[in-house]
């Protein structure tokens, strides 16, 4: 059955977005790879969008009040991501 290229590209893009938003990295990467293999013109822009979705879906540590009454964040090994390292090195507001 003939399916228009735009429809297939749209489906693959939706799968990549769903994978990134739910933490299914394999699904997102396979869908992006398929789009790139099809030489879809939307693939580079979608890759940028997927990175933003991955960052938004990443778990954030929960702050609690320390002895001084200031918010303190307990970081667990699972919370240490490259994004967090970059934010610390760039002296941005951490978590």
């Amino acid at each position: 059955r003939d399916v228009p290229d735009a429809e297939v590209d749209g489906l693959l893009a939706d799968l990549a977005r769903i994978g990134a938003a739910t933490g299914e990295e394999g699904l997102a990467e396979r869908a992006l790879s398929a789009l790139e293999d099809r030489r879809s013109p939307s693939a580079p822009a979608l890759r940028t969008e997927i990175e933003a979705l991955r960052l938004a879906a990443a778990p954030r540590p929960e702050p609690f009040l320390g002895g001084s009454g200031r918010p303190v964040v307990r970081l667990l090994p699972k919370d240490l991501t490259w994004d967090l390292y970059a934010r610390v090195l760039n002296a941005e507001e951490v978590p």
Side-chain angles (χ1 to χ4, degrees):
R1 163 177 165 195
D2 282 334
V3 179
D5 287 343
E7 190 173 331
V8 173
D9 289 350
L11 174 65
L12 289 170
D14 288 344
L15 285 173
R17 287 183 188 104
I18 291 168
T22 60
E24 295 287 332
E25 295 297 321
L27 175 63
E29 276 306 311
R30 286 191 308 271
L32 280 170
S33 294
L35 273 172
E36 289 168 347
D37 290 347
R38 293 173 53 80
R39 292 182 172 78
S40 172
S42 64
L46 182 64
R47 187 164 289 281
T48 304
E49 180 184 342
I50 294 302
E51 286 304 316
L53 285 171
R54 284 178 176 149
L55 288 176
R60 299 284 181 196
E62 293 293 324
F64 62 94
L65 293 180
S68 64
R70 294 181 56 199
V72 177
V73 176
R74 181 181 325 156
L75 294 175
L76 301 174
K78 68 176 180 72
D79 299 324
L80 301 177
T81 62
W82 288 112
D83 177 53
L84 181 63
Y85 288 132
R87 290 171 47 204
V88 168
L89 293 174
N90 292 329
E92 296 177 13
E93 183 181 329
V94 179

